[in-house]
Amino acid sequence: MKIAIGSDHAGFPLKEKIKDLLTQKGLEVIDKGCYNTDSVHYPEFGAAVAKAVADCEVSRGILVCGTGIGMSMIANRFHGVRATLCHNEFTATAAREHNDSNLLCLGARVLDEALALKLVEIWLATEYAGGRHQTRLDLIEELSK
C-alpha cells in the first residue's frame, strides 16, 4: 500500500513518528510536507495529500495538524476523498468500517503519541464493511453533485 502523509508545523513531530511506523510496516510513504516546525499554512499540505488520494496516486492519506479539524476541512473539499477526524479507537474503527475512510486526520495537540499511533494501526487494519454503509456513501456522492 502506498500512503501520502502531510502535516503543518504543529503536526510535524507526530507525522515523523507515523512515517516511522508506516515504513516499519513495509508501506511506501510519500511525504508531502511540511518538513520542520517552522510556521506554515496547513491548507497547502492538506491539499497536497488530498489531491494524491483523489488522483489515485496513493491508496490512502494521513494528515496531522494541531487539532485535525483544519486538515479534515481542506481534505474533504476534494472529490472522492473521505477524510475522517479520529480521536479514539471507536472513531478509527468506524471511519474505516462504516465510512470507507481513505484519509485519516489526527490532532497532534489533542492526542498523545501512543494513542495516535494506535489509531493509525487500527485505521490501517480495519476493513470496510460495505452493505448498508455503501448505500450511505452512494447518497453522499449523489447529494454532492
Side-chain angles (χ1 to χ4, degrees), residues 73-113:
M73 289 171 58
I74 185 63
N76 278 314
R77 301 284 233 169
F78 287 77
H79 185 75
V81 171
R82 293 175 302 283
T84 50
L85 174 57
C86 296
H87 49 270
N88 57 37
E89 294 175 32
F90 176 77
T91 55
T93 301
R96 286 286 310 133
E97 193 173 278
H98 295 186
N99 304 110
D100 198 19
S101 170
N102 56 10
L103 201 154
L104 174 64
C105 298
L106 299 171
R109 292 179 175 157
V110 296
L111 297 172
D112 68 43
E113 180 184 305

Side-chain angles (χ1 to χ4, degrees), residues 15-25:
K15 179 193 76 160
E16 294 300 299
K17 297 289 186 177
I18 294 169
K19 274 176 41 180
D20 290 344
L21 172 68
L22 298 174
T23 54
Q24 287 171 13
K25 291 183 158 301

